[in-house]
Amino acid sequence: PEKGLVPFAAPWTAWFGEHRVYCAMALADGRLALGTTTAGLCLLHADGSIQAVFGREAGFQNNNILAMAQDVQGNLWLGLDNGIDMVSVGSPLARILPDAPLDGSGYAMARFEGQYYFGTNNGLYAFDPQEPWSERRFRFIPGSRGQVWSLGVFEGQLLVGHHEGAFRLVNGGLEPLAEFSGCWRFLEVPLAARSTEAGRRVSPVGERILLAGTYDGLQRFRWTGQRWEHAGPVQGLEESARLLAFDPRGWLWVAHPYRGLWRARWQGDSLQRLRRFGQADGLPGIDGIQVFQVAGDAVFTLPGQGAWRFDAEAGRFVAHERIAALIGQDRDIRAILPGEGEDLWCATREAVFRLAITDKGLEKTVDAQAVPALSETLLPGFEYLFDPQGPGVFLATERGFLHYRESAGQAQRAPQLRLLRVEAGRRLDSVVFAGYGERDSLAEWSFP
């Protein structure tokens, strides 16, 4: 400019002074990449505002970046003080490691009072997106050390299912809700399950009840108006109860991938009319069976056998026609997870599908959209996806979490194909092309 040199990204001048910029380059999509000597990589929007800072906590080998270059795929290669790292700056996927450098597995997420909470096998971590970049970091929640299985917000309180038991978040730390250990998850008892088949009410209409699936059956909690109070165990089932769902008729279903499937009526401190189901009831098998709460109904899955539902009138299990029509009945469905609004996510061995539900006149239409980038990313046996109804979704993986945003970055350029070697079978001299010589001569060959 006419006035000479002026500061760029002025609000961050002090931060750049503390973390010296050693190298910089303009990326193909218009962003700027700055390599620092102590804070790792800083990405700036074209206007100079900071988009993200990545360093050792994000998986870098160290925070001292001495050189950088971008390849034709948009990947940013970094020459570090000790080693080489690559960042897919144009990818819709970003990895989040809340417990770095422990590099643990992710299991659950929640958004509570403006902060994100990440449950890992090493404990619970919080992240405040409103903090300035210079202070933004993952904060360990005291009292949460160990395996976190689930997170849920009920009556304005964050509840935590943990290997050590059931907890709630209080004043930035965890407070135990009960004395038992091993809590998988929490499930609220719906109105349909609060009366017997004869119409007798089990609990008052306005009472809020939570069931906790534990290592040794079920526990119940009652809302007092200020906190969740432990109301004791639920008698009748002593199996590990990680997979729970209520159906529209008020029946509680409990599945165990190795031990079977049960159905019962919840009646306060006990389960009534407990019954085990199997192949005689229309299921093609029991091994690997799971149950998920989907739009107020119970949906069952079996490895390689797709999704199933219980036909109450016929008293038998039948294929879930709607899901089968969308993704096929022979799918190995690992999880059915709630998404934004009424949308669902269906994780299979081959891909992750988004079942987008839209209103069309007086009917609802469902479209299945496969997201290949998410295949083989979820934690086997504990598949979990968190949709905060904001930009993108989060997936729990064996290394932290992945944040997926469809609109992130520019369109990916197709890879450039290079033939390095061509061989023909059943010939004594089978090498047609060995990666050198006249490449144009390949045009003379025709291969079936």
Side-chain angles (χ1 to χ4, degrees):
E2 295 181 0
K3 296 181 179 180
L5 297 176
V6 296
F8 179 70
W12 309 105
T13 301
W15 189 88
F16 290 138
E18 180 181 356
H19 306 286
R20 192 180 73 159
V21 177
Y22 191 88
C23 54
M25 70 173 297
L27 301 180
D29 60 9
R31 290 179 293 174
L32 299 175
L34 308 178
T36 74
T37 56
T38 56
L41 174 68
C42 178
L43 292 182
L44 299 180
H45 294 293
D47 63 0
S49 60
I50 293 183
Q51 178 191 10
V53 177
F54 303 106
R56 192 173 181 84
E57 289 189 354
F60 284 20
Q61 297 175 77
N62 59 64
N63 287 338
N64 191 356
I65 300 177
L66 304 178
M68 58 178 66
Q70 191 173 24
D71 64 22
V72 295
Q73 300 302 315
N75 300 314
L76 185 61
W77 293 83
L78 307 176
L80 307 181
D81 180 53
N82 184 17
I84 299 174
D85 283 353
M86 188 272 283
V87 185
S88 299
V89 291
S91 170
L93 290 171
R95 187 169 297 279
I96 301 170
L97 299 172
D99 57 352
L102 297 178
D103 205 14
S105 300
Y107 282 85
M109 268 192 69
R111 188 170 187 176
F112 181 65
E113 296 183 344
Q115 298 192 49
Y116 287 99
Y117 289 85
F118 298 82
T120 75
N121 64 334
N122 294 310
L124 181 64
Y125 295 80
F127 178 82
D128 188 349
Q130 304 304 318
E131 288 183 340
W133 272 108
S134 59
E135 301 176 12
R136 197 176 297 184
R137 58 182 55 85
F138 291 97
R139 176 173 54 87
F140 175 73
I141 301 299
S144 70
R145 182 68 66 197
Q147 176 69 61
V148 174
W149 293 120
S150 66
L151 299 172
V153 179
F154 302 93
E155 290 292 341
Q157 296 192 354
L158 179 62
L159 303 188
V160 181
H162 195 281
H163 175 68
E164 301 296 334
F167 297 83
R168 68 166 179 156
L169 183 71
V170 180
N171 298 326
L174 290 193
E175 175 185 274
L177 288 175
E179 295 300 323
F180 64 85
S181 63
C183 179
W184 292 114
R185 55 166 301 193
F186 300 91
L187 179 66
E188 185 166 0
V189 177
L191 288 175
R194 297 189 182 187
S195 61
T196 64
E197 291 178 287
R200 182 177 62 82
R201 297 216 59 82
V202 179
S203 66
V205 175
E207 188 177 37
R208 303 292 296 275
I209 298 291
L210 288 182
L211 292 183
T214 77
Y215 293 178
D216 302 303
L218 301 171
Q219 300 279 339
R220 59 196 174 106
F221 293 86
R222 180 184 299 107
W223 177 247
T224 66
Q226 295 182 333
R227 69 188 307 274
W228 290 101
E229 180 182 78
H230 185 217
V234 178
Q235 305 296 330
L237 183 70
E238 296 180 356
E239 295 287 351
S240 177
R242 180 170 67 92
L243 302 168
L244 308 170
F246 281 99
D247 67 21
R249 294 171 178 254
W251 288 99
L252 173 65
W253 295 87
V254 181
H256 192 294
Y258 309 114
R259 297 181 182 176
L261 176 68
W262 294 266
R263 187 188 74 173
R265 279 281 177 184
W266 170 77
Q267 291 192 18
D269 61 355
S270 65
L271 296 179
Q272 302 295 323
R273 300 186 63 186
L274 182 68
R275 177 187 167 187
R276 191 170 183 172
F277 287 78
Q279 289 180 284
D281 304 292
L283 288 171
I286 283 295
D287 290 344
I289 192 166
Q290 299 191 85
V291 62
F292 300 96
Q293 189 89 44
V294 179
D297 200 357
V299 177
F300 309 85
T301 65
L302 284 161
Q305 301 286 345
W308 296 75
R309 65 179 180 85
F310 185 74
D311 187 332
E313 295 183 1
R316 294 180 60 80
F317 287 89
V318 296
H320 199 292
E321 301 89 347
R322 203 167 194 181
I323 295 179
L326 290 169
I327 65 173
Q329 187 59 21
D330 59 346
R331 294 282 187 181
D332 187 357
I333 298 178
R334 297 179 172 183
I336 301 177
L337 307 160
E340 181 177 358
E342 296 183 4
D343 291 357
L344 297 173
W345 291 84
C346 189
T348 72
R349 185 177 296 276
E350 302 85 3
V352 175
F353 293 87
R354 180 181 180 180
L355 307 184
I357 302 174
T358 57
D359 291 318
K360 190 174 183 180
L362 298 178
E363 298 181 353
K364 292 184 181 295
T365 61
V366 183
D367 297 318
Q369 305 166 358
V371 187
L374 304 185
S375 61
E376 300 183 3
T377 58
L378 298 176
L379 189 64
F382 291 90
E383 291 80 2
Y384 178 82
L385 181 146
F386 176 69
D387 189 342
Q389 300 188 16
V393 295
F394 296 84
L395 300 98
T397 76
E398 291 184 350
R399 286 191 64 230
F401 296 80
L402 286 179
H403 187 211
Y404 173 75
R405 297 181 63 173
E406 290 181 294
S407 60
Q410 303 295 319
Q412 297 294 296
R413 188 182 303 178
Q416 191 173 25
L417 178 64
R418 297 184 183 276
L419 294 178
L420 301 182
R421 186 177 182 87
V422 179
E423 296 184 10
R426 301 180 185 177
R427 290 183 54 181
L428 186 63
D429 185 7
S430 62
V431 179
V432 178
F433 177 66
Y436 53 87
E438 294 294 331
R439 294 172 183 262
D440 292 341
S441 63
L442 284 175
E444 303 172 4
W445 289 85
S446 177
F447 300 98

